[in-house]
Amino acid sequence: MNHNLHALFESRFPLDRDTVFLETDHGVAVTFRELDQATARFASYLTGLGLKPGDRVAAQVEKSPQALFLYLGCLRAGLVWLPLNTAYQSAEVEYFLGNAEPRAVITQPKSLAWTDEICTRLVIPHLLTLDEHGQGTLMERSAAATATFDTAMRAADDLAAILYTSGTTGRSKGAMITHRNLASNALALHKTWGFRPGDVLLHTLPLFHVHGLFVACHCALLNGGRMIFHSRFEAAAVMRALPRATVFMGVPTYYVRLLADEKFDRAHVANIRLFISGSAPLLTETFEAFRERTGKVILERYGMTETGMITSNPLEGERKGGTVGPPLPGVSVLVEGADGAPVKSGEIGDILVKGDNVLPGYWRMPEKNAEEFTADGYFKTGDVGRFDEDGYLSIVGRSKDLVITGGYNVYPKEIELLLDEMPGVAESAVIGVPHPDFGEAVTAVVVQKAGATPVVESEVIAMLKSKLANFKVPKRVHVVTDLPRNAMGKVQKNVLRQQYGKA
Ligand code: MCA
Ligand code: AMP
């Protein structure tokens, strides 16, 4: 049997290949026949360049149907997909490319010059472009490639993708994701969320992270059904498209922004059978406000890049606000105390996960694998939670130092390392503070070095903007004379959060 995830998708394609798979916000429709041909062309072209199954293909491209087809073409050819957020700057990208050693890189025309320099330094043989309209050298050169392709044989444990996640040490790790991981999770979600013929998914998430790429697209592909594909989330455009959709997925900020528009009401959502939220905590007040305004109960689920989706509130039965529901079928979740034993329901502990959805490990980081898994193969999520008496999980905190802003993860250490190198900065602490739109906002507190050049907020922000993806840049920088510490000398970030939480 071929365990290539693409073979599973193909088995679910509708018999009538003229069925529409995707329509864009510009009204372009793509049928399953066109999808099949586009992915075959990419697979033929890339294998024609000499790329072999297991080789990595990195892509830092804006969302477009072609970007999705490129991902699927890579799957089809057995290549390993390495998606990169378009907000990443050159230093961040150089680290990822140096670590993953892709054989081909696809970038945006506007990033070509600096990406070319990186590829030359790292001796990466193939560099192509793809812009937000689905144009570029990739399209030009692959246009003549064969539009048929025999999907490459893959074992279940072969790699399908590598996704970089930042770490608490400030160093990013490549999460290795296998065909088994993706297939098991996609099948569990498709079933749990009751995808059915005729469903239309309104897709507004970015394509370079798990939520938009795996959770959303895989459900639509398994359903052999239609997606309305918006290049980005924009509340007014979503409100216009909702009446033609049946399912919508988003991060909590999307729901906050929809509610912020007074015109958003029951008429917009009448056709929607399921609103799903994840990637960050959905505030109970947002959950309640959405129910009140629309009559619809958002289904919240919980997942991670390393594990795919872990739990989900039910389709049928009660969806409890403030919880992320019970474990998905095939996923085992433990909440453990400090002694390593599971705690009773109602008690708080560390969340551990095991199942076919869980990554086999980090790319070329065996030491991380030893740290992040227990002896019996459970992955340590770094999230802290509790089960209620009905088996619903609530996330009550994180043992990892992480800020989630608008659904994007920011590891404070990465920013603190850069701040500490600045002239005039003695030390720093980066925290998340409540933010009405992004849930949490990144905030920096820096200690002025005595007698050194004064630290100026706007200059700190400008420096960070030149080095980091924009969503990681602190919205505020507070300059202080010292940081609060506990008896062990550890910075008390909880005290800082209280102090600067209202900024
Ligand atoms: C943009 N900005 C942000 C964020 N996004 N600041 C903080 N947090 C953010 N998330 C800033 C930019 O730096 C810029 O600031 C200004 O906002 C405008 O940028 P723009 O790109 O125009 O913003 P936007 O289009 O309004 O984007 C906001 C957004 C977007 C729509 C909420 O961030 C988004 O789509 N987030 C979804 C993230 C996602 O897909 N997460 C899933 C990860 P300046 O002008 O100063 O530069 S997967 C995952 O977490 C797991 C597996 C799971 O469970 O799903
Ligand atoms: P990522 O590294 O982008 O995969 O983000 C994974 C992290 O997002 C998890 O470890 C959680 O901390 C957080 N997360 C995802 N979904 C939820 C949710 N529904 N509620 C709270 N936190 C969530």
Side-chain angles (χ1 to χ4, degrees):
M1 175 180 171
N2 188 359
H3 290 275
N4 190 320
L5 176 66
H6 197 274
L8 172 64
F9 293 149
E10 284 169 63
S11 73
R12 302 293 191 96
F13 285 179
L15 287 177
D16 178 4
R17 296 290 162 113
D18 290 327
T19 307
V20 171
F21 164 60
L22 173 156
E23 63 176 82
T24 68
D25 31 5
H26 304 297
V28 177
V30 178
T31 64
F32 277 89
R33 186 188 317 285
E34 289 163 330
L35 169 71
D36 180 57
Q37 291 171 346
T39 62
R41 235 180 258 120
F42 285 139
S44 307
Y45 173 68
L46 292 169
T47 49
L49 290 180
L51 272 68
K52 305 251 173 340
D55 284 344
R56 276 78 60 206
V57 174
Q60 189 184 30
V61 295
E62 290 295 353
K63 182 175 179 182
S64 68
Q66 288 70 27
L68 174 60
F69 305 157
L70 178 62
Y71 157 63
L72 294 170
C74 286
L75 273 185
R76 203 167 174 179
L79 302 169
V80 179
W81 183 243
L82 197 171
L84 295 172
N85 192 319
T86 47
Y88 294 147
Q89 306 256 18
S90 57
E92 295 164 296
V93 170
E94 182 148 6
Y95 171 78
F96 300 133
L97 300 186
N99 187 251
E101 297 182 355
R103 296 220 44 219
V105 175
I106 324 297
T107 190
Q108 311 163 89
K110 65 176 182 208
S111 311
L112 184 59
W114 59 261
T115 311
D116 193 18
E117 282 172 25
I118 295 174
C119 290
T120 306
R121 269 198 295 280
L122 298 175
V123 200
I124 296 171
H126 305 288
L127 173 62
L128 298 140
T129 61
L130 182 66
D131 69 14
E132 66 271 32
H133 309 294
Q135 302 293 323
T137 56
L138 173 73
M139 300 308 291
E140 289 157 19
R141 296 185 197 166
S142 63
T146 325
T148 55
F149 189 88
D150 289 334
T151 298
M153 289 298 289
R154 294 276 79 193
D157 291 325
D158 283 335
L159 290 195
I162 297 178
L163 277 84
Y164 278 86
T165 70
S166 298
T168 42
T169 59
R171 219 174 131 215
S172 291
K173 306 166 282 187
M176 300 194 292
I177 311 294
T178 66
H179 289 266
R180 184 200 305 280
N181 295 153
L182 295 179
S184 67
N185 215 230
L187 289 165
L189 295 178
H190 184 265
K191 186 154 181 258
T192 301
W193 294 340
F195 272 89
R196 56 191 75 155
D199 263 337
V200 177
L201 175 71
L202 177 53
H203 191 300
T204 66
L205 287 152
L207 277 187
F208 30 65
H209 292 295
V210 165
H211 197 164
L213 186 62
F214 298 157
V215 180
C217 293
H218 289 182
C219 281
L221 283 157
L222 282 184
N223 207 45
R226 187 188 286 232
M227 277 197 280
I228 301 175
F229 207 66
H230 286 190
S231 49
R232 57 194 287 275
F233 174 85
E234 211 258 302
V238 166
M239 281 159 55
R240 282 195 298 275
L242 279 173
R244 291 185 298 117
T246 62
V247 180
F248 180 78
M249 292 183 196
V251 298
T253 299
Y254 293 8
Y255 293 101
V256 170
R257 289 189 181 183
L258 284 170
L259 286 168
D261 191 320
E262 286 166 8
K263 293 188 292 302
F264 179 63
D265 64 12
R266 287 176 188 237
H268 293 102
V269 304
N271 202 41
I272 299 287
R273 70 166 183 86
L274 190 56
F275 281 103
I276 302 171
S277 175
S279 305
L282 179 71
L283 294 182
T284 312
E285 66 194 61
T286 310
F287 175 85
E288 294 297 352
F290 201 85
R291 173 157 46 193
E292 209 160 284
R293 182 91 69 88
T294 66
K296 303 277 177 182
V297 183
I298 299 174
L299 178 153
E300 185 173 6
R301 57 63 178 175
Y302 157 62
M304 270 187 90
T305 299
E306 285 92 333
T307 62
M309 299 304 101
I310 301 168
T311 66
S312 170
N313 269 282
L315 182 67
E316 310 292 345
E318 191 186 359
R319 294 178 201 157
K320 296 189 195 177
T323 85
V324 291
L328 285 163
V331 180
S332 162
V333 178
L334 293 179
V335 174
E336 275 190 3
D339 59 358
V343 297
K344 291 205 258 326
S345 66
E347 288 177 11
I348 291 173
D350 294 321
I351 301 174
L352 307 178
V353 190
K354 192 174 177 175
D356 281 349
N357 56 313
V358 176
L359 83 169
Y362 293 103
W363 176 256
R364 294 182 182 163
M365 283 193 179
E367 73 288 356
K368 288 280 167 209
N369 299 343
E371 278 170 30
E372 310 285 343
F373 287 87
T374 62
D376 50 356
Y378 276 85
F379 176 74
K380 302 176 190 169
T381 63
D383 292 311
V384 174
R386 71 164 161 258
F387 276 117
D388 70 9
E389 62 289 356
D390 299 326
Y392 284 53
L393 186 69
S394 296
I395 318 279
V396 300
R398 301 172 199 136
S399 58
K400 53 193 171 192
D401 191 12
L402 164 70
V403 179
I404 305 185
T405 173
Y408 284 140
N409 289 6
V410 179
Y411 280 87
K413 193 75 193 169
E414 188 180 358
I415 299 151
E416 289 162 2
L417 289 172
L418 287 173
L419 288 171
D420 293 351
E421 278 174 10
M422 281 192 82
V425 173
E427 59 174 340
S428 62
V430 168
I431 52 171
V433 300
H435 188 277
D437 184 35
F438 294 127
E440 285 184 286
V442 177
T443 295
V445 184
V446 300
V447 176
Q448 170 74 51
K449 202 182 269 174
T453 345
V455 177
V456 179
E457 179 174 28
S458 59
E459 290 171 10
V460 174
I461 289 178
M463 184 282 288
L464 291 175
K465 271 195 171 168
S466 72
K467 302 211 162 154
L468 290 172
N470 56 9
F471 61 86
K472 297 181 190 171
V473 176
K475 305 289 181 209
R476 288 297 316 271
V477 177
H478 303 278
V479 182
V480 298
T481 48
D482 53 17
L483 294 173
R485 292 181 186 277
N486 65 14
M488 312 288 287
K490 197 167 179 287
V491 174
Q492 290 171 302
K493 289 200 169 179
N494 52 337
V495 174
L496 291 175
R497 278 190 284 269
Q498 273 167 11
Q499 210 166 337
Y500 296 104
K502 304 255 173 328

